[in-house]
Structures are given as structure tokens and as C-alpha cells.
Amino acid sequence: MKTSKITGIVLKRINFGESDKVITLFTKERGKLSVVAKGIRRIKSRRAPHLEPLNEVALMLHRGKNFEIITEAKTVTPFVMQNNFKSLGFAFYAAEVIDKLLPENEPHEQVYWLLEELLKGKNLEENKIKEFTAKLLWQLGFLPFGHYPKEGLTSFVESVAERRIKSKKIIEEL
């Protein structure tokens, strides 16, 4: 099929070419997914406000040669925590952990519900993020249910992903 509809949470955006961005989404049906938003960096782009990180969006996608291309975008739920930088930092931490741990195109519906539940809470705090990270590790099979790593959750995630969690530094500075 050339076109498809999908709903997902925007995890991150990366500049691509002069006026495009690669958007990383997390969806119920297809898991983590990278798609291209053509012309999103132009001032008059109608899709740009909808494709901000931590928005739940409904998209219409068209299959291109290498990537699927966003043809329509609409915000379903904006999960941005206004005027609370600490909560926003924790939300970005959760998005980054999911991006680092999950492979592309592998559905994880339970993890989607876990992230959605976390983002619906307006005041995120360290305890909620630790609980989210532990549940994520249990759900993905990196830890036996009920067990916690000895070196701390973030260090464990970094060792599993073999990459640093950048948003951790932002949270520490707030």
C-alpha cells in the first residue's frame, strides 16, 4: 500500500537536507518509526507545529524510495508540560530512553501505553521516571520483573543501549 494512516508520539526530530526533518515516532501498531517531513523547516510550513517532540499526532504517510513521507499531520494530544522545566526534562528523558532501547518497526503496544500514561501526568518527578524506566526494562525483557540494577537505572540503560543518555545532564542542571 502506498499511503497509510498512523497515530504516534513524536520522540525526536533531526534536520535532513535544506528544509526537511527526519521525525522519529513511537506508534502502537508499528513501534518506533522514522519518517521524513518534507519542507517542515520552511517558515510557512503548516505541519511544523504538529510535529513538535512529545506531541501525539495523527499522520498520513506516503511510501517513498527510502523513507515514508508525511503528507498530513494533526495534533491529537499535546503532552508538553508548560512552565515546568523539570517535568519537561523528565519527559524528554523518557522519550530518549525509548528511542535508545527500541529497534525500528517492532510493535510494543504495552510500552506505548506506558509512555502515554507517563506523559498524561502533568507534574513528572524523579520517582515517576524511575518507575517508568524500571517498568520499561521489565517489559522489554532487559531485567526480570521486580528486579532493579545495582548500578542505577540510567547507567544500566546506557550500558544496554551502548550510548549515553543526553537528557540526564539537562535534568541535573535544573
Side-chain angles (χ1 to χ4, degrees):
M1 184 190 317
K2 285 276 188 184
T3 61
S4 60
K5 291 182 182 180
I6 197 154
T7 302
I9 298 171
V10 178
L11 297 178
K12 70 177 183 178
R13 306 177 324 165
I14 299 171
N15 291 345
F16 183 71
E18 285 186 28
S19 61
D20 308 334
K21 284 191 183 254
V22 174
I23 310 293
T24 302
L25 299 165
F26 184 52
T27 68
K28 283 182 264 189
E29 304 86 14
R30 294 175 56 191
K32 190 172 83 168
L33 181 67
S34 294
V35 296
V36 172
K38 295 261 184 204
I40 193 174
R41 293 171 54 198
R42 293 190 183 120
I43 293 172
K44 293 185 180 183
S45 173
R46 293 177 290 135
R47 293 183 305 268
H50 300 285
L51 296 171
E52 290 295 319
L54 304 177
N55 277 350
E56 184 177 30
V57 293
L59 302 174
M60 183 72 85
L61 301 175
H62 177 78
R63 174 142 311 278
K65 288 181 182 178
N66 298 322
F67 284 100
E68 290 183 274
I69 299 166
I70 299 172
T71 56
E72 293 180 36
K74 183 179 180 191
T75 302
V76 175
T77 310
F79 287 123
V80 176
M81 292 73 185
Q82 295 179 346
N83 301 325
N84 190 338
F85 293 117
K86 196 85 165 177
S87 289
L88 188 59
F90 286 133
F92 275 109
Y93 175 87
E96 186 177 1
V97 167
I98 284 180
D99 181 47
K100 299 263 193 255
L101 290 179
L102 293 178
E104 293 252 344
N105 293 316
E106 210 174 283
H108 289 281
E109 193 171 334
Q110 293 295 335
V111 175
Y112 185 88
W113 295 122
L114 190 66
L115 177 62
E116 189 176 53
E117 180 184 323
L118 177 78
L119 294 177
K120 282 182 180 177
K122 294 298 177 193
N123 289 322
L124 298 182
E125 54 196 31
E126 190 170 351
N127 291 338
K128 288 181 182 178
I129 289 299
K130 285 181 179 179
E131 181 183 334
F132 166 81
T133 307
K135 285 181 180 178
L136 178 66
L137 292 168
W138 298 334
Q139 191 71 37
L140 296 175
F142 290 114
L143 283 175
F145 185 78
H147 289 77
Y148 291 88
K150 294 175 185 170
E151 69 267 18
L153 288 167
T154 301
S155 298
F156 185 77
V157 169
E158 289 176 339
S159 68
V160 168
E162 297 178 347
R163 290 184 276 171
R164 287 254 179 247
I165 303 292
K166 296 175 187 168
S167 56
K168 176 179 74 171
K169 185 176 179 184
I170 295 168
I171 295 168
E172 291 169 353
E173 291 176 1
L174 292 174

